[in-house]
Amino acid sequence: MDLVTAIVPMRHSSERVPGKNYRPLGGLPLYQHVVTTLLATPGVGEVVIDTDSETILEEAARVFPSVTLVERPAHLRDGHTPMNAVLEHSIGHAHYEAILQTHSTNPFVRAETFEAAIRRFFDSEGIDSVFGATRIQGRLWTEDLTAVNHDPAVLARTQDLAPIYLENSCFYVFSKATLRDGGNRLGKSPAIVEVDALEATDIDVETEFRLAEIIEASQLFGVR
């Protein structure tokens, strides 16, 4: 069976939601949700946490003894450092050639969804990378009021509009060679794996953390 190394990069500090990566969600630090899911995904052969956080390094070593912990070097710790640069460092600690990168801020992505992305990468011809995206079927406009995906003179039903996909950062699957050769986790021939908007919930601001708490309390994604 083809396997991937799953990489979860996370910083200790967060400007908009202080301490969010290790802030409790449903009784567990936020990052533990996605790591637990990755460990339950059949196509994930190993999990790597890349972080500058002593809190996460110490705790994860105890809770997840099978996970590889990588302390991020000082020159990659600035919040403006491009993710591709961080990943170029992280893949040096990966056993497998294929990489799945995700975020601690996507706590509700299912193991089945990660597995679908991995299988799409390995089983589809002519693609060199996979990313998660959420379908949008609504009337979209640019800031200067140009209609993007519809004719304002024709009031078509939204369900009849051609869908547009929003890259949601839930996961990226790629090879080490794609990242090293192109400097990007997305290659020249990517493919989309669709993720439902609720499953793709991402935590960037305080209101989104509050929403995640409501979703977790509802147990929509099962007891974890």
Side-chain angles (χ1 to χ4, degrees):
M1 180 180 183
D2 292 313
L3 299 175
V4 303
T5 293
I7 295 176
V8 190
M10 59 188 90
R11 299 176 62 244
H12 183 79
S13 299
S14 174
E15 295 178 3
R16 290 177 290 183
V17 186
K20 71 175 177 181
N21 285 323
Y22 43 89
R23 177 172 162 179
L25 175 68
L28 292 175
L30 179 63
Y31 78 92
Q32 290 191 19
H33 290 274
V34 73
V35 173
T36 299
T37 302
L38 290 169
L39 291 171
T41 302
V44 173
E46 67 174 345
V47 177
V48 173
I49 292 176
D50 181 315
T51 183
D52 65 347
S53 174
E54 290 296 331
T55 299
I56 293 171
L57 288 169
E58 292 176 6
E59 185 178 69
R62 182 180 71 255
V63 178
F64 301 115
S66 66
V67 169
T68 299
L69 303 176
V70 177
E71 185 173 3
R72 188 173 303 177
H75 71 281
L76 294 175
R77 294 187 178 189
D78 186 271
H80 298 289
T81 302
M83 179 53 61
N84 287 319
V86 172
L87 289 173
E88 287 176 3
H89 169 259
S90 301
I91 64 173
H93 301 270
H95 175 76
Y96 297 97
E97 173 63 23
I99 305 296
L100 182 150
Q101 184 249 315
T102 185
H103 296 282
S104 58
T105 53
N106 298 118
F108 303 123
V109 182
R110 303 172 188 263
E112 295 83 357
T113 305
F114 283 136
E115 187 67 15
I118 294 167
R119 298 276 64 86
R120 181 69 186 277
F121 177 76
F122 284 119
D123 297 343
S124 301
E125 295 183 3
I127 68 169
D128 58 12
S129 49
V130 170
F131 67 97
T134 301
R135 177 193 294 250
I136 297 176
Q137 280 186 278
R139 300 182 185 94
L140 302 180
W141 300 79
T142 64
E143 188 176 14
D144 64 2
L145 297 183
T146 300
V148 174
N149 64 334
H150 66 285
D151 182 351
V154 179
L155 192 60
R157 300 185 306 171
T158 55
Q159 62 263 41
D160 294 332
L161 296 174
I164 289 179
Y165 290 90
L166 173 68
E167 183 180 331
N168 55 36
S169 299
C170 286
F171 50 78
Y172 299 85
V173 188
F174 53 92
S175 69
K176 292 179 181 178
T178 292
L179 180 65
R180 285 170 173 158
D181 294 346
N184 198 326
R185 60 193 170 186
L186 290 182
K188 296 180 179 179
S189 302
I192 284 175
V193 169
E194 189 171 334
V195 186
D196 174 83
L198 195 61
E199 184 180 358
T201 298
D202 186 43
I203 301 172
D204 278 330
V205 295
E206 183 63 33
T207 53
E208 291 168 341
F209 205 107
R210 298 297 185 186
L211 175 61
E213 290 177 323
I214 294 170
I215 296 170
E216 178 68 19
S218 73
Q219 296 187 0
L220 283 172
F221 293 92
V223 179
R224 293 179 292 172

mmCIF file of all heavy atoms in Angstrom, residues 47-96:
data_model
loop_
_atom_site.group_PDB
_atom_site.id
_atom_site.type_symbol
_atom_site.label_atom_id
_atom_site.label_comp_id
_atom_site.label_asym_id
_atom_site.label_seq_id
_atom_site.Cartn_x
_atom_site.Cartn_y
_atom_site.Cartn_z
ATOM 1 N N VAL A 47 3.485 10.560 11.092
ATOM 2 C CA VAL A 47 3.056 11.945 11.312
ATOM 3 C C VAL A 47 4.238 12.735 11.839
ATOM 4 O O VAL A 47 4.956 12.277 12.743
ATOM 5 C CB VAL A 47 1.881 12.020 12.304
ATOM 6 C CG1 VAL A 47 1.506 13.477 12.580
ATOM 7 C CG2 VAL A 47 0.671 11.247 11.780
ATOM 8 N N VAL A 48 4.442 13.920 11.274
ATOM 9 C CA VAL A 48 5.506 14.822 11.699
ATOM 10 C C VAL A 48 4.883 16.131 12.160
ATOM 11 O O VAL A 48 4.083 16.735 11.441
ATOM 12 C CB VAL A 48 6.499 15.101 10.549
ATOM 13 C CG1 VAL A 48 7.509 16.175 10.957
ATOM 14 C CG2 VAL A 48 7.209 13.827 10.123
ATOM 15 N N ILE A 49 5.212 16.552 13.368
ATOM 16 C CA ILE A 49 4.826 17.882 13.864
ATOM 17 C C ILE A 49 6.048 18.783 13.777
ATOM 18 O O ILE A 49 7.094 18.480 14.341
ATOM 19 C CB ILE A 49 4.320 17.825 15.315
ATOM 20 C CG1 ILE A 49 2.990 17.068 15.400
ATOM 21 C CG2 ILE A 49 4.166 19.232 15.885
ATOM 22 C CD1 ILE A 49 2.476 16.895 16.817
ATOM 23 N N ASP A 50 5.909 19.883 13.049
ATOM 24 C CA ASP A 50 6.979 20.877 12.916
ATOM 25 C C ASP A 50 6.534 22.124 13.667
ATOM 26 O O ASP A 50 5.557 22.768 13.286
ATOM 27 C CB ASP A 50 7.208 21.176 11.433
ATOM 28 C CG ASP A 50 8.325 22.181 11.193
ATOM 29 O OD1 ASP A 50 8.368 23.208 11.890
ATOM 30 O OD2 ASP A 50 9.145 21.947 10.294
ATOM 31 N N THR A 51 7.234 22.467 14.744
ATOM 32 C CA THR A 51 6.771 23.570 15.580
ATOM 33 C C THR A 51 7.918 24.268 16.297
ATOM 34 O O THR A 51 8.996 23.688 16.484
ATOM 35 C CB THR A 51 5.759 23.052 16.627
ATOM 36 O OG1 THR A 51 5.244 24.149 17.395
ATOM 37 C CG2 THR A 51 6.395 22.035 17.559
ATOM 38 N N ASP A 52 7.657 25.509 16.699
ATOM 39 C CA ASP A 52 8.599 26.248 17.535
ATOM 40 C C ASP A 52 8.119 26.291 18.981
ATOM 41 O O ASP A 52 8.693 26.999 19.817
ATOM 42 C CB ASP A 52 8.789 27.671 17.000
ATOM 43 C CG ASP A 52 7.503 28.499 17.081
ATOM 44 O OD1 ASP A 52 6.420 27.910 17.309
ATOM 45 O OD2 ASP A 52 7.581 29.726 16.903
ATOM 46 N N SER A 53 7.064 25.532 19.294
ATOM 47 C CA SER A 53 6.433 25.605 20.597
ATOM 48 C C SER A 53 6.964 24.541 21.556
ATOM 49 O O SER A 53 6.775 23.341 21.327
ATOM 50 C CB SER A 53 4.908 25.433 20.450
ATOM 51 O OG SER A 53 4.288 25.357 21.711
ATOM 52 N N GLU A 54 7.583 24.980 22.629
ATOM 53 C CA GLU A 54 8.020 24.039 23.658
ATOM 54 C C GLU A 54 6.819 23.358 24.303
ATOM 55 O O GLU A 54 6.875 22.180 24.671
ATOM 56 C CB GLU A 54 8.851 24.763 24.720
ATOM 57 C CG GLU A 54 10.224 25.216 24.234
ATOM 58 C CD GLU A 54 11.118 24.046 23.866
ATOM 59 O OE1 GLU A 54 10.951 22.951 24.461
ATOM 60 O OE2 GLU A 54 11.975 24.210 22.983
ATOM 61 N N THR A 55 5.725 24.094 24.430
ATOM 62 C CA THR A 55 4.501 23.522 25.004
ATOM 63 C C THR A 55 4.039 22.317 24.199
ATOM 64 O O THR A 55 3.737 21.251 24.752
ATOM 65 C CB THR A 55 3.384 24.588 25.043
ATOM 66 O OG1 THR A 55 3.799 25.676 25.858
ATOM 67 C CG2 THR A 55 2.082 24.006 25.564
ATOM 68 N N ILE A 56 3.980 22.472 22.881
ATOM 69 C CA ILE A 56 3.521 21.388 22.017
ATOM 70 C C ILE A 56 4.547 20.261 21.961
ATOM 71 O O ILE A 56 4.193 19.076 22.016
ATOM 72 C CB ILE A 56 3.211 21.936 20.606
ATOM 73 C CG1 ILE A 56 1.999 22.872 20.669
ATOM 74 C CG2 ILE A 56 2.966 20.794 19.619
ATOM 75 C CD1 ILE A 56 1.722 23.630 19.397
ATOM 76 N N LEU A 57 5.818 20.606 21.866
ATOM 77 C CA LEU A 57 6.858 19.578 21.800
ATOM 78 C C LEU A 57 6.825 18.680 23.039
ATOM 79 O O LEU A 57 6.899 17.449 22.939
ATOM 80 C CB LEU A 57 8.227 20.218 21.643
ATOM 81 C CG LEU A 57 8.548 20.850 20.286
ATOM 82 C CD1 LEU A 57 9.826 21.674 20.368
ATOM 83 C CD2 LEU A 57 8.678 19.784 19.204
ATOM 84 N N GLU A 58 6.716 19.284 24.217
ATOM 85 C CA GLU A 58 6.727 18.513 25.453
ATOM 86 C C GLU A 58 5.457 17.669 25.602
ATOM 87 O O GLU A 58 5.518 16.492 25.982
ATOM 88 C CB GLU A 58 6.880 19.451 26.650
ATOM 89 C CG GLU A 58 8.247 20.136 26.715
ATOM 90 C CD GLU A 58 8.348 21.133 27.847
ATOM 91 O OE1 GLU A 58 7.385 21.202 28.659
ATOM 92 O OE2 GLU A 58 9.371 21.840 27.933
ATOM 93 N N GLU A 59 4.326 18.261 25.289
ATOM 94 C CA GLU A 59 3.062 17.552 25.451
ATOM 95 C C GLU A 59 2.903 16.439 24.419
ATOM 96 O O GLU A 59 2.495 15.318 24.741
ATOM 97 C CB GLU A 59 1.902 18.537 25.346
ATOM 98 C CG GLU A 59 0.538 17.935 25.624
ATOM 99 C CD GLU A 59 -0.534 19.001 25.548
ATOM 100 O OE1 GLU A 59 -0.799 19.500 24.433
ATOM 101 O OE2 GLU A 59 -1.093 19.338 26.609
ATOM 102 N N ALA A 60 3.220 16.740 23.164
ATOM 103 C CA ALA A 60 3.059 15.752 22.096
ATOM 104 C C ALA A 60 3.974 14.554 22.296
ATOM 105 O O ALA A 60 3.621 13.422 21.947
ATOM 106 C CB ALA A 60 3.309 16.399 20.731
ATOM 107 N N ALA A 61 5.151 14.783 22.854
ATOM 108 C CA ALA A 61 6.067 13.665 23.117
ATOM 109 C C ALA A 61 5.440 12.670 24.080
ATOM 110 O O ALA A 61 5.672 11.456 23.979
ATOM 111 C CB ALA A 61 7.378 14.197 23.681
ATOM 112 N N ARG A 62 4.628 13.164 24.987
ATOM 113 C CA ARG A 62 3.972 12.296 25.965
ATOM 114 C C ARG A 62 2.703 11.657 25.400
ATOM 115 O O ARG A 62 2.464 10.460 25.588
ATOM 116 C CB ARG A 62 3.632 13.111 27.210
ATOM 117 C CG ARG A 62 2.980 12.305 28.321
ATOM 118 C CD ARG A 62 2.669 13.174 29.526
ATOM 119 N NE ARG A 62 1.567 14.105 29.267
ATOM 120 C CZ ARG A 62 1.714 15.401 29.055
ATOM 121 N NH1 ARG A 62 2.923 15.954 29.040
ATOM 122 N NH2 ARG A 62 0.662 16.176 28.846
ATOM 123 N N VAL A 63 1.896 12.441 24.689
ATOM 124 C CA VAL A 63 0.591 11.968 24.220
ATOM 125 C C VAL A 63 0.705 11.139 22.947
ATOM 126 O O VAL A 63 -0.038 10.168 22.753
ATOM 127 C CB VAL A 63 -0.352 13.169 23.993
ATOM 128 C CG1 VAL A 63 -1.705 12.710 23.463
ATOM 129 C CG2 VAL A 63 -0.533 13.949 25.290
ATOM 130 N N PHE A 64 1.640 11.514 22.066
ATOM 131 C CA PHE A 64 1.789 10.844 20.774
ATOM 132 C C PHE A 64 3.223 10.321 20.617
ATOM 133 O O PHE A 64 4.016 10.895 19.856
ATOM 134 C CB PHE A 64 1.469 11.805 19.628
ATOM 135 C CG PHE A 64 0.083 12.389 19.668
ATOM 136 C CD1 PHE A 64 -0.100 13.757 19.854
ATOM 137 C CD2 PHE A 64 -1.027 11.587 19.510
ATOM 138 C CE1 PHE A 64 -1.374 14.308 19.873
ATOM 139 C CE2 PHE A 64 -2.312 12.126 19.522
ATOM 140 C CZ PHE A 64 -2.485 13.482 19.710
ATOM 141 N N PRO A 65 3.589 9.255 21.297
ATOM 142 C CA PRO A 65 4.983 8.784 21.237
ATOM 143 C C PRO A 65 5.436 8.331 19.861
ATOM 144 O O PRO A 65 6.639 8.303 19.594
ATOM 145 C CB PRO A 65 4.998 7.623 22.237
ATOM 146 C CG PRO A 65 3.571 7.199 22.373
ATOM 147 C CD PRO A 65 2.762 8.445 22.210
ATOM 148 N N SER A 66 4.502 7.985 18.959
ATOM 149 C CA SER A 66 4.885 7.531 17.618
ATOM 150 C C SER A 66 5.100 8.678 16.642
ATOM 151 O O SER A 66 5.595 8.470 15.524
ATOM 152 C CB SER A 66 3.813 6.594 17.055
ATOM 153 O OG SER A 66 2.591 7.291 16.824
ATOM 154 N N VAL A 67 4.756 9.888 17.040
ATOM 155 C CA VAL A 67 4.853 11.049 16.146
ATOM 156 C C VAL A 67 6.280 11.602 16.172
ATOM 157 O O VAL A 67 6.910 11.698 17.224
ATOM 158 C CB VAL A 67 3.838 12.127 16.561
ATOM 159 C CG1 VAL A 67 4.104 13.439 15.831
ATOM 160 C CG2 VAL A 67 2.415 11.648 16.289
ATOM 161 N N THR A 68 6.774 11.982 14.989
ATOM 162 C CA THR A 68 8.092 12.610 14.880
ATOM 163 C C THR A 68 7.963 14.101 15.182
ATOM 164 O O THR A 68 7.157 14.796 14.558
ATOM 165 C CB THR A 68 8.683 12.416 13.474
ATOM 166 O OG1 THR A 68 8.835 11.016 13.223
ATOM 167 C CG2 THR A 68 10.037 13.104 13.349
ATOM 168 N N LEU A 69 8.740 14.580 16.128
ATOM 169 C CA LEU A 69 8.687 15.992 16.519
ATOM 170 C C LEU A 69 9.907 16.722 15.984
ATOM 171 O O LEU A 69 11.046 16.305 16.219
ATOM 172 C CB LEU A 69 8.627 16.109 18.038
ATOM 173 C CG LEU A 69 7.457 15.382 18.709
ATOM 174 C CD1 LEU A 69 7.556 15.493 20.227
ATOM 175 C CD2 LEU A 69 6.117 15.924 18.217
ATOM 176 N N VAL A 70 9.664 17.806 15.274
ATOM 177 C CA VAL A 70 10.728 18.590 14.656
ATOM 178 C C VAL A 70 10.670 20.006 15.211
ATOM 179 O O VAL A 70 9.661 20.702 15.066
ATOM 180 C CB VAL A 70 10.582 18.620 13.122
ATOM 181 C CG1 VAL A 70 11.651 19.512 12.503
ATOM 182 C CG2 VAL A 70 10.649 17.215 12.549
ATOM 183 N N GLU A 71 11.752 20.420 15.856
ATOM 184 C CA GLU A 71 11.821 21.795 16.352
ATOM 185 C C GLU A 71 12.213 22.721 15.217
ATOM 186 O O GLU A 71 13.269 22.556 14.594
ATOM 187 C CB GLU A 71 12.825 21.913 17.493
ATOM 188 C CG GLU A 71 12.846 23.292 18.126
ATOM 189 C CD GLU A 71 13.713 23.359 19.367
ATOM 190 O OE1 GLU A 71 14.354 22.342 19.707
ATOM 191 O OE2 GLU A 71 13.753 24.437 19.987
ATOM 192 N N ARG A 72 11.344 23.680 14.925
ATOM 193 C CA ARG A 72 11.576 24.587 13.804
ATOM 194 C C ARG A 72 12.772 25.499 14.078
ATOM 195 O O ARG A 72 12.847 26.116 15.149
ATOM 196 C CB ARG A 72 10.326 25.428 13.534
ATOM 197 C CG ARG A 72 10.400 26.262 12.255
ATOM 198 C CD ARG A 72 9.082 26.931 11.973
ATOM 199 N NE ARG A 72 8.000 25.950 11.877
ATOM 200 C CZ ARG A 72 6.718 26.267 11.689
ATOM 201 N NH1 ARG A 72 6.368 27.541 11.577
ATOM 202 N NH2 ARG A 72 5.795 25.320 11.614
ATOM 203 N N PRO A 73 13.690 25.632 13.132
ATOM 204 C CA PRO A 73 14.856 26.497 13.350
ATOM 205 C C PRO A 73 14.462 27.974 13.400
ATOM 206 O O PRO A 73 13.428 28.380 12.866
ATOM 207 C CB PRO A 73 15.748 26.193 12.143
ATOM 208 C CG PRO A 73 14.840 25.629 11.107
ATOM 209 C CD PRO A 73 13.753 24.913 11.838
ATOM 210 N N ALA A 74 15.306 28.756 14.016
ATOM 211 C CA ALA A 74 14.994 30.167 14.276
ATOM 212 C C ALA A 74 14.690 30.950 13.003
ATOM 213 O O ALA A 74 13.816 31.820 12.998
ATOM 214 C CB ALA A 74 16.148 30.812 15.041
ATOM 215 N N HIS A 75 15.390 30.654 11.907
ATOM 216 C CA HIS A 75 15.209 31.462 10.695
ATOM 217 C C HIS A 75 13.875 31.200 9.990
ATOM 218 O O HIS A 75 13.529 31.905 9.036
ATOM 219 C CB HIS A 75 16.374 31.223 9.719
ATOM 220 C CG HIS A 75 16.370 29.875 9.070
ATOM 221 N ND1 HIS A 75 16.813 28.725 9.707
ATOM 222 C CD2 HIS A 75 15.978 29.477 7.828
ATOM 223 C CE1 HIS A 75 16.707 27.696 8.893
ATOM 224 N NE2 HIS A 75 16.192 28.124 7.758
ATOM 225 N N LEU A 76 13.124 30.206 10.471
ATOM 226 C CA LEU A 76 11.824 29.915 9.866
ATOM 227 C C LEU A 76 10.658 30.229 10.806
ATOM 228 O O LEU A 76 9.528 29.854 10.539
ATOM 229 C CB LEU A 76 11.755 28.436 9.456
ATOM 230 C CG LEU A 76 12.695 27.986 8.341
ATOM 231 C CD1 LEU A 76 12.604 26.481 8.142
ATOM 232 C CD2 LEU A 76 12.385 28.712 7.031
ATOM 233 N N ARG A 77 10.931 30.928 11.885
ATOM 234 C CA ARG A 77 9.909 31.129 12.914
ATOM 235 C C ARG A 77 9.089 32.400 12.744
ATOM 236 O O ARG A 77 8.068 32.562 13.402
ATOM 237 C CB ARG A 77 10.553 31.125 14.306
ATOM 238 C CG ARG A 77 11.136 29.774 14.669
ATOM 239 C CD ARG A 77 11.624 29.734 16.107
ATOM 240 N NE ARG A 77 12.132 28.404 16.445
ATOM 241 C CZ ARG A 77 12.464 28.015 17.671
ATOM 242 N NH1 ARG A 77 12.340 28.864 18.682
ATOM 243 N NH2 ARG A 77 12.912 26.797 17.883
ATOM 244 N N ASP A 78 9.500 33.280 11.884
ATOM 245 C CA ASP A 78 8.739 34.512 11.680
ATOM 246 C C ASP A 78 7.375 34.186 11.072
ATOM 247 O O ASP A 78 7.259 33.325 10.199
ATOM 248 C CB ASP A 78 9.511 35.459 10.759
ATOM 249 C CG ASP A 78 8.827 36.806 10.642
ATOM 250 O OD1 ASP A 78 7.972 36.950 9.745
ATOM 251 O OD2 ASP A 78 9.128 37.695 11.444
ATOM 252 N N GLY A 79 6.355 34.901 11.529
ATOM 253 C CA GLY A 79 5.002 34.646 11.046
ATOM 254 C C GLY A 79 4.799 34.919 9.568
ATOM 255 O O GLY A 79 3.823 34.460 8.985
ATOM 256 N N HIS A 80 5.714 35.673 8.954
ATOM 257 C CA HIS A 80 5.597 35.989 7.533
ATOM 258 C C HIS A 80 6.381 35.012 6.651
ATOM 259 O O HIS A 80 6.398 35.170 5.427
ATOM 260 C CB HIS A 80 6.084 37.417 7.271
ATOM 261 C CG HIS A 80 5.282 38.464 7.991
ATOM 262 N ND1 HIS A 80 3.989 38.786 7.634
ATOM 263 C CD2 HIS A 80 5.584 39.235 9.074
ATOM 264 C CE1 HIS A 80 3.533 39.731 8.444
ATOM 265 N NE2 HIS A 80 4.480 40.014 9.330
ATOM 266 N N THR A 81 7.013 34.018 7.265
ATOM 267 C CA THR A 81 7.759 33.030 6.486
ATOM 268 C C THR A 81 6.796 32.225 5.614
ATOM 269 O O THR A 81 5.803 31.692 6.128
ATOM 270 C CB THR A 81 8.528 32.071 7.416
ATOM 271 O OG1 THR A 81 9.410 32.821 8.237
ATOM 272 C CG2 THR A 81 9.315 31.052 6.606
ATOM 273 N N PRO A 82 7.032 32.127 4.317
ATOM 274 C CA PRO A 82 6.136 31.362 3.442
ATOM 275 C C PRO A 82 6.058 29.897 3.870
ATOM 276 O O PRO A 82 7.059 29.296 4.275
ATOM 277 C CB PRO A 82 6.788 31.500 2.059
ATOM 278 C CG PRO A 82 7.643 32.720 2.153
ATOM 279 C CD PRO A 82 8.132 32.765 3.569
ATOM 280 N N MET A 83 4.858 29.328 3.782
ATOM 281 C CA MET A 83 4.672 27.942 4.178
ATOM 282 C C MET A 83 5.528 26.998 3.354
ATOM 283 O O MET A 83 6.027 25.983 3.864
ATOM 284 C CB MET A 83 3.195 27.558 4.050
ATOM 285 C CG MET A 83 2.895 26.104 4.431
ATOM 286 S SD MET A 83 3.498 25.622 6.077
ATOM 287 C CE MET A 83 2.573 26.749 7.120
ATOM 288 N N ASN A 84 5.724 27.316 2.083
ATOM 289 C CA ASN A 84 6.550 26.432 1.249
ATOM 290 C C ASN A 84 7.978 26.340 1.784
ATOM 291 O O ASN A 84 8.609 25.289 1.708
ATOM 292 C CB ASN A 84 6.549 26.912 -0.208
ATOM 293 C CG ASN A 84 5.228 26.642 -0.897
ATOM 294 O OD1 ASN A 84 4.633 25.593 -0.719
ATOM 295 N ND2 ASN A 84 4.767 27.595 -1.696
ATOM 296 N N ALA A 85 8.485 27.440 2.341
ATOM 297 C CA ALA A 85 9.834 27.410 2.916
ATOM 298 C C ALA A 85 9.871 26.533 4.156
ATOM 299 O O ALA A 85 10.833 25.786 4.383
ATOM 300 C CB ALA A 85 10.283 28.835 3.251
ATOM 301 N N VAL A 86 8.832 26.612 4.970
ATOM 302 C CA VAL A 86 8.742 25.749 6.153
ATOM 303 C C VAL A 86 8.690 24.288 5.728
ATOM 304 O O VAL A 86 9.373 23.424 6.295
ATOM 305 C CB VAL A 86 7.493 26.110 6.994
ATOM 306 C CG1 VAL A 86 7.289 25.097 8.123
ATOM 307 C CG2 VAL A 86 7.611 27.518 7.553
ATOM 308 N N LEU A 87 7.901 23.999 4.701
ATOM 309 C CA LEU A 87 7.748 22.612 4.256
ATOM 310 C C LEU A 87 9.041 22.056 3.668
ATOM 311 O O LEU A 87 9.331 20.864 3.810
ATOM 312 C CB LEU A 87 6.620 22.523 3.228
ATOM 313 C CG LEU A 87 5.209 22.708 3.793
ATOM 314 C CD1 LEU A 87 4.184 22.764 2.664
ATOM 315 C CD2 LEU A 87 4.866 21.591 4.763
ATOM 316 N N GLU A 88 9.811 22.915 3.001
ATOM 317 C CA GLU A 88 11.088 22.443 2.453
ATOM 318 C C GLU A 88 12.000 21.950 3.573
ATOM 319 O O GLU A 88 12.796 21.028 3.380
ATOM 320 C CB GLU A 88 11.746 23.557 1.640
ATOM 321 C CG GLU A 88 11.060 23.805 0.300
ATOM 322 C CD GLU A 88 11.664 24.973 -0.454
ATOM 323 O OE1 GLU A 88 12.651 25.562 0.037
ATOM 324 O OE2 GLU A 88 11.148 25.309 -1.542
ATOM 325 N N HIS A 89 11.868 22.563 4.742
ATOM 326 C CA HIS A 89 12.625 22.083 5.911
ATOM 327 C C HIS A 89 11.988 20.805 6.464
ATOM 328 O O HIS A 89 12.682 19.822 6.764
ATOM 329 C CB HIS A 89 12.656 23.161 6.987
ATOM 330 C CG HIS A 89 13.181 22.676 8.302
ATOM 331 N ND1 HIS A 89 12.352 22.351 9.348
ATOM 332 C CD2 HIS A 89 14.443 22.443 8.735
ATOM 333 C CE1 HIS A 89 13.076 21.944 10.375
ATOM 334 N NE2 HIS A 89 14.346 21.998 10.034
ATOM 335 N N SER A 90 10.666 20.792 6.565
ATOM 336 C CA SER A 90 9.959 19.667 7.190
ATOM 337 C C SER A 90 10.172 18.359 6.443
ATOM 338 O O SER A 90 10.323 17.301 7.060
ATOM 339 C CB SER A 90 8.455 19.970 7.264
ATOM 340 O OG SER A 90 8.195 21.141 7.997
ATOM 341 N N ILE A 91 10.176 18.410 5.112
ATOM 342 C CA ILE A 91 10.247 17.157 4.349
ATOM 343 C C ILE A 91 11.592 16.453 4.529
ATOM 344 O O ILE A 91 11.709 15.265 4.236
ATOM 345 C CB ILE A 91 9.952 17.375 2.851
ATOM 346 C CG1 ILE A 91 11.007 18.275 2.196
ATOM 347 C CG2 ILE A 91 8.555 17.937 2.654
ATOM 348 C CD1 ILE A 91 10.843 18.382 0.680
ATOM 349 N N GLY A 92 12.580 17.183 5.026
ATOM 350 C CA GLY A 92 13.861 16.541 5.311
ATOM 351 C C GLY A 92 13.767 15.526 6.434
ATOM 352 O O GLY A 92 14.672 14.702 6.605
ATOM 353 N N HIS A 93 12.667 15.566 7.195
ATOM 354 C CA HIS A 93 12.456 14.636 8.294
ATOM 355 C C HIS A 93 11.414 13.579 7.951
ATOM 356 O O HIS A 93 11.022 12.797 8.819
ATOM 357 C CB HIS A 93 12.018 15.404 9.539
ATOM 358 C CG HIS A 93 13.009 16.430 9.997
ATOM 359 N ND1 HIS A 93 14.019 16.144 10.897
ATOM 360 C CD2 HIS A 93 13.169 17.730 9.656
ATOM 361 C CE1 HIS A 93 14.742 17.222 11.104
ATOM 362 N NE2 HIS A 93 14.250 18.204 10.374
ATOM 363 N N ALA A 94 10.964 13.549 6.693
ATOM 364 C CA ALA A 94 9.910 12.635 6.274
ATOM 365 C C ALA A 94 10.491 11.354 5.694
ATOM 366 O O ALA A 94 11.392 11.389 4.854
ATOM 367 C CB ALA A 94 9.009 13.305 5.234
ATOM 368 N N HIS A 95 9.961 10.234 6.122
ATOM 369 C CA HIS A 95 10.429 8.929 5.640
ATOM 370 C C HIS A 95 9.921 8.629 4.234
ATOM 371 O O HIS A 95 10.624 8.031 3.424
ATOM 372 C CB HIS A 95 9.974 7.833 6.605
ATOM 373 C CG HIS A 95 10.303 6.443 6.148
ATOM 374 N ND1 HIS A 95 11.580 5.919 6.216
ATOM 375 C CD2 HIS A 95 9.526 5.469 5.601
ATOM 376 C CE1 HIS A 95 11.577 4.682 5.740
ATOM 377 N NE2 HIS A 95 10.348 4.384 5.361
ATOM 378 N N TYR A 96 8.693 9.057 3.938
ATOM 379 C CA TYR A 96 8.067 8.719 2.662
ATOM 380 C C TYR A 96 8.244 9.843 1.637
ATOM 381 O O TYR A 96 8.353 11.018 1.993
ATOM 382 C CB TYR A 96 6.577 8.423 2.858
ATOM 383 C CG TYR A 96 6.341 7.222 3.744
ATOM 384 C CD1 TYR A 96 6.069 7.383 5.102
ATOM 385 C CD2 TYR A 96 6.413 5.930 3.250
ATOM 386 C CE1 TYR A 96 5.871 6.293 5.936
ATOM 387 C CE2 TYR A 96 6.213 4.821 4.069
ATOM 388 C CZ TYR A 96 5.947 5.013 5.406
ATOM 389 O OH TYR A 96 5.764 3.935 6.238
#
